[in-house]
Amino acid sequence: MLYIVLGIITTLFAVAGIAMFAYGVSRMVRTVRLGRPVEPGRVGPFGRRLTTTLIEILGHNRMLKRPWVGVAHWFVMVSFPLLVFTVAEAHGEVWDPHFHLPVIHDWTVYGLFIELVSAASLVGIIGLAVYRQVTGPARIGRASRFANSQHWTAYYVEAYIIALLVCIFLIRGFKVAMGDFPFPVWATPVSHALGAVLPASEPALALVAAFKLIISWIFFMVVAVYMTMGIAWHRFTAPLNIYFKRDPEGGPALGAAKPMMDKSGKKPLDFEEADPDEDPFGVGKIEDFTWKGLLDFTTCTECGRCQSQCPAWNTGKPLSPKKLVMDLREHAYAKAPYLMQGITEETPDIHDDVLALLGKPLVGTEEEGGVIHPDVLWSCTNCGACVEQCPVDIEHIDHIMDMRRYQVMIESSFPSEANTLLKNLENKGNPWGMSEDRRMDWIADLDFEVPVVEDKLPEGTEYLFWVGCAGALEDRAKRTTKAIAELLHIAGVKFAVLGGMEACSGDPARRLGMEYVFQMLAQQNVETLNEAGVKRIVASCPHCFNTLGNEYPALGGDYEVVHHSQLLARLVEEGRLTPVQPIEENITYHDPCFLGRHNKVYTPPRDIMAQVPGIKTQEMHRHKERGFCCGAGGARMWMEERIGKRINTERVDEALTTNPDTVSTACPFCQVMLGDAINEKKAAGEAKETLEVVDVSQLLLRSVRGGAPAAEEAAENA
């Protein structure tokens, strides 16, 4: 009688669990489909995307950036589908404790497989649970990557997995005690050890099997009710989210910003024809996100890797990429049932609470009831740490930029100081508002001729040197520009510059959210470059390097673009540049975000320093993929930093722990930001007076010249 009752109960739980979960999946699909169409290319090529998905899931390459956590999670992950046989077996065991699966029930390899997967998964989930407690916010506060997570959901999932795995071993132990276990001791040592202490009780085995099934089907019921339970749902949605990622080759959604598309989602937005009443000018409501955006929010597992690497969060600002995604998810699933019924703010006779929800601004202060606070939105530097770290390929920057676009172009709501930036870009073609003839001032300090393009590139030109606004107009960045030009001259590389014909690449405007100004500047530059017959470009600014190489092709500008560190490293390798003068200094290198994370250029700057005799390099704690931002990206260089600690100060504090004589980098923005922070440290007596920030090209030039700096550089440094 006991077995019949247990069988009926567990069968009812299974039916209810499957039905509720199916309804939950249906509701999730309908919610995600509320989003706008995605840009072309998100679905295919099927083979490449499937391969990428399998590599990321089975290879766990993102998770293994934290090795032991990655290994533990891998076993927990694979246990979910691989132990399905034990669920099927348990459904038979509640009716008959001597039930066995047909065919494979006595295969030693099957017994060994279940033993290994269950044991490794049990160790893994216990380790992860302990790690969550040791590094939880209750112990280390804001520094915990689990801060802002929904803790009860994590505890529930961990408890469920532990209970499930323990039940598997108890069932096998009872079978050993009953003499009904066909596998040898060497293949199933844990099961046999339990069998030695457990009684030979058929009812106990059936009860454990029933408990295992009940908690399993309750799990499916719970996740069906709590649609925002990311730590549970991600095991179903993560493969889809990875499959539909922006880069089918497997890279994170970095480099080029996601283009603005028209209402069809099939072609880029043409501002000459665009209608803001019809076409999406960014995202102003949750349903304005694409369906991939809604899938992103659904998939977040709240692991906090993005948060732990975010420079804004690490310096006391309100932006947590994780919380931003979670808040958008909560709002999406709260609003979705009404949207699916066609209920809007204009629908008559709707309840005040529903009206408040439907009218809730996506971006707004607490007084305005916004989902995302403006301080959260404008704290982002676009550094890419969140996207690079996310194990399920959430595209945080794309969503932040979409919200910025709406705020800037539709609401005209953005930090006031950025207004000056936009006016300067529109009127003068550079962020500082200087006249175009100032772009050639740096050339006067050189003792050789630099060809300036008039109509066409001079005959035999190998590279157009894209100087960039900072490189041409900012005094500290000019030193880098002159160093690069002199090195190219020494190496015999024939290059030319655009001079006054060069305008800002548009990066600050695009990253701010003003797509119109970006396209205006970009189209102007593309026309200039194409008319001049430019094919190959060397850029000193990583932001220009990224924009020219990754974003201009969509506007008709297809060029081979290299960063100056890549070209100089190659010239050294080819013997066209030979460092001879030792530089006896301890140097730490700062990775620019748009050179490193966005474009994976980590090695060339380090190769340059490695070839300079005398240099001793020491990496900062956070470097390469985990490098820390200088605070200038996302147009933040032209906005005041009023909340928390300054990002550039945090980075310099980290640099000072290496006791450097020099901090090197390969970006004019980084050079300015780190230089300002170092000057503050000098004024406070916290850094040596001789400490300076230099570009790797300046270090190389000092060594190649084999003597003291040139007169003009010495004068500038004085």
Side-chain angles (χ1 to χ4, degrees):
M1 185 65 182
L2 172 66
Y3 306 140
I4 295 175
V5 171
L6 292 178
I8 293 173
I9 291 174
T10 53
T11 300
L12 291 175
F13 267 98
V15 172
I18 292 171
M20 289 181 66
F21 184 70
Y23 174 75
V25 170
S26 171
R27 181 182 167 194
M28 179 173 290
V29 170
R30 287 181 289 139
T31 299
V32 169
R33 290 183 64 186
L34 290 171
R36 290 183 179 273
V38 294
E39 65 272 22
R42 286 282 191 170
V43 178
F46 173 76
R48 180 63 261 178
R49 287 188 173 275
L50 180 61
T51 301
T52 295
T53 304
L54 292 175
I55 288 173
E56 285 203 27
I57 293 175
L58 299 180
H60 243 44
N61 53 340
R62 294 293 186 87
M63 293 292 296
L64 288 172
K65 290 175 181 178
R66 301 171 186 266
W68 85 262
V69 173
V71 171
H73 186 272
W74 188 88
F75 279 105
V76 174
M77 176 197 71
V78 298
S79 71
F80 191 72
L82 295 183
L83 296 180
V84 68
F85 295 106
T86 67
V87 176
E89 201 167 20
H91 271 289
E93 290 163 343
V94 294
W95 295 92
D96 175 9
H98 291 279
F99 173 83
H100 291 287
L101 291 175
V103 183
I104 65 172
H105 73 277
D106 59 352
W107 290 4
T108 299
V109 67
Y110 169 70
L112 174 63
F113 172 78
I114 297 297
E115 190 87 356
L116 286 176
V117 172
S118 300
S121 300
L122 185 57
V123 171
I125 191 63
I126 291 174
L128 294 173
V130 171
Y131 177 72
R132 180 181 289 273
Q133 295 303 311
V134 172
T135 63
R139 291 176 61 89
I140 60 176
R142 186 185 178 95
S144 171
R145 65 184 177 92
F146 300 113
N148 295 314
S149 295
Q150 300 180 85
H151 301 295
W152 78 265
T153 60
Y155 299 149
Y156 171 70
V157 172
E158 288 166 352
Y160 158 65
I161 295 173
I162 290 171
L164 184 72
L165 295 168
V166 168
C167 285
I168 289 174
F169 282 114
L170 286 175
I171 292 170
R172 288 160 75 90
F174 279 122
K175 287 192 172 184
V176 170
M178 291 160 49
D180 192 21
F181 196 63
F183 309 116
V185 175
W186 67 264
T188 54
V190 179
S191 300
H192 277 274
L194 281 172
V197 298
L198 291 175
S201 173
E202 295 180 1
L205 188 154
L207 287 168
V208 172
F211 176 76
K212 175 179 177 237
L213 292 172
I214 289 170
I215 63 172
S216 296
W217 294 119
I218 286 178
F219 172 80
F220 282 90
M221 297 178 194
V222 170
V223 298
V225 171
Y226 293 98
M227 301 298 297
T228 59
M229 195 173 176
I231 196 169
W233 274 108
H234 85 279
R235 63 187 59 201
F236 306 104
T237 60
L240 290 173
N241 209 52
I242 294 170
Y243 179 88
F244 291 115
K245 67 190 294 184
R246 188 138 64 89
D247 181 7
E249 299 300 319
L254 295 172
K258 189 183 78 169
M260 289 183 65
M261 309 300 290
D262 68 2
K263 60 185 177 183
S264 72
K266 295 179 180 179
K267 62 179 183 178
L269 198 63
D270 182 348
F271 280 94
E272 293 184 0
E273 302 176 357
D275 180 359
D277 293 328
E278 295 288 334
D279 295 304
F281 275 45
V283 168
K285 302 186 293 293
I286 196 71
E287 59 267 32
D288 289 341
F289 284 106
T290 65
W291 61 257
K292 174 57 169 67
L294 297 178
L295 183 60
D296 270 359
F297 309 151
T298 300
T299 304
C300 178
T301 183
E302 304 174 28
C303 68
R305 283 169 175 78
C306 58
Q307 177 178 283
S308 69
Q309 298 296 307
C310 177
W313 181 258
N314 275 275
T315 53
K317 296 168 183 60
L319 169 60
S320 159
K322 175 178 69 175
K323 189 174 187 302
L324 178 139
V325 168
M326 291 170 60
D327 288 344
L328 291 172
R329 178 178 64 195
E330 293 288 339
H331 181 57
Y333 279 90
K335 193 174 180 181
Y338 304 104
L339 296 177
M340 286 187 274
Q341 297 176 58
I343 298 174
T344 67
E345 293 176 75
E346 286 72 38
T347 301
D349 302 323
I350 57 175
H351 193 277
D352 288 346
D353 290 344
V354 176
L355 183 63
L357 174 64
L358 295 175
K360 194 177 182 70
L362 197 62
V363 177
T365 62
E366 293 176 1
E367 292 76 14
E368 295 165 336
V371 179
I372 305 299
H373 195 282
D375 288 340
V376 170
L377 186 67
W378 296 108
S379 291
C380 179
T381 66
N382 279 207
C383 74
C386 51
V387 180
E388 195 274 335
Q389 282 288 315
C390 182
V392 294
D393 286 302
I394 292 171
E395 297 163 358
H396 312 73
I397 292 179
D398 288 352
H399 308 317
I400 288 172
M401 284 191 61
D402 275 340
M403 288 187 284
R404 283 186 173 188
R405 285 163 168 165
Y406 186 87
Q407 291 301 302
V408 172
M409 291 189 286
I410 300 298
E411 297 290 338
S412 296
S413 176
F414 51 90
S416 58
E417 57 267 28
N419 193 47
T420 302
L421 164 68
L422 292 175
K423 287 181 179 178
N424 288 338
L425 289 173
E426 286 189 78
N427 298 329
K428 297 294 185 179
N430 68 79
W432 288 280
M434 297 185 185
S435 62
E436 63 182 35
D437 56 8
R438 295 284 304 277
R439 285 184 175 273
M440 294 190 290
D441 287 354
W442 61 275
I443 297 177
D445 294 329
L446 299 176
D447 58 5
F448 58 90
E449 182 181 354
V450 175
V452 179
V453 176
E454 294 182 1
D455 295 313
K456 295 287 185 180
L457 276 180
E459 189 72 25
T461 301
E462 297 176 68
Y463 288 95
L464 175 84
F465 179 16
W466 185 274
V467 179
C469 299
L473 303 171
E474 205 283 325
D475 288 339
R476 285 166 286 190
K478 284 182 188 178
R479 301 175 196 170
T480 299
T481 302
K482 288 182 281 188
I484 295 169
E486 189 166 346
L487 286 166
L488 295 179
H489 176 70
I490 293 170
V493 176
K494 293 184 178 180
F495 69 97
V497 298
L498 289 175
M501 293 169 61
E502 182 182 299
C504 178
S505 67
D507 168 83
R510 171 165 257 195
R511 299 289 165 170
L512 179 71
M514 180 52 86
E515 186 75 8
Y516 171 75
V517 173
F518 162 74
Q519 290 200 19
M520 178 188 73
L521 292 167
Q523 288 168 352
Q524 174 185 331
N525 284 325
V526 167
E527 183 178 349
T528 299
L529 292 167
N530 288 349
E531 287 181 355
V534 173
K535 299 297 182 185
R536 303 166 79 193
I537 299 173
V538 56
S540 61
C541 174
H543 296 263
C544 297
F545 166 65
N546 178 69
T547 305
L548 294 169
N550 295 325
E551 298 179 350
Y552 277 21
L555 299 170
D558 290 298
Y559 319 108
E560 178 190 331
V561 185
V562 298
H563 185 255
H564 74 269
S565 65
Q566 294 174 300
L567 179 56
L568 295 179
R570 188 162 74 239
L571 294 173
V572 172
E573 183 182 1
E574 293 172 353
R576 297 171 67 181
L577 290 172
T578 306
V580 292
Q581 179 72 23
I583 299 178
E584 303 292 344
E585 293 181 6
N586 179 32
I587 297 179
T588 189
Y589 175 73
H590 164 79
D591 286 287
C593 299
F594 275 76
L595 183 64
R597 268 190 297 268
H598 280 270
N599 287 282
K600 304 304 177 188
V601 180
Y602 298 110
T603 304
R606 290 173 169 84
D607 285 347
I608 290 172
M609 292 187 291
Q611 294 301 314
V612 176
I615 286 182
K616 296 178 182 177
T617 58
Q618 183 174 343
E619 297 282 11
M620 285 180 262
H621 172 65
R622 292 179 285 207
H623 63 280
K624 294 187 177 179
E625 289 89 350
R626 293 192 184 183
F628 199 75
C629 184
C630 75
R636 288 293 324 174
M637 186 163 174
W638 291 274
M639 294 184 242
E640 288 297 323
E641 197 169 343
R642 299 184 176 91
I643 304 173
K645 184 178 181 180
R646 294 179 67 88
I647 293 173
N648 59 341
T649 302
E650 173 71 13
R651 187 54 164 167
V652 165
D653 282 339
E654 187 170 358
L656 292 177
T657 64
T658 68
N659 190 30
D661 299 306
T662 297
V663 177
S664 68
T665 188
C667 172
F669 288 7
C670 296
Q671 194 169 1
V672 170
M673 297 296 287
L674 299 181
D676 287 347
I678 284 176
N679 288 337
E680 291 176 3
K681 293 292 181 182
K682 288 179 181 179
E686 297 174 6
K688 52 182 129 181
E689 287 298 322
T690 55
L691 181 63
E692 61 177 346
V693 183
V694 301
D695 190 272
V696 290
S697 62
Q698 294 172 270
L699 292 172
L700 179 60
L701 181 59
R702 282 171 56 188
S703 184
V704 167
R705 277 198 296 222
E712 69 275 4
E713 186 175 331
E716 288 174 353
N717 289 334

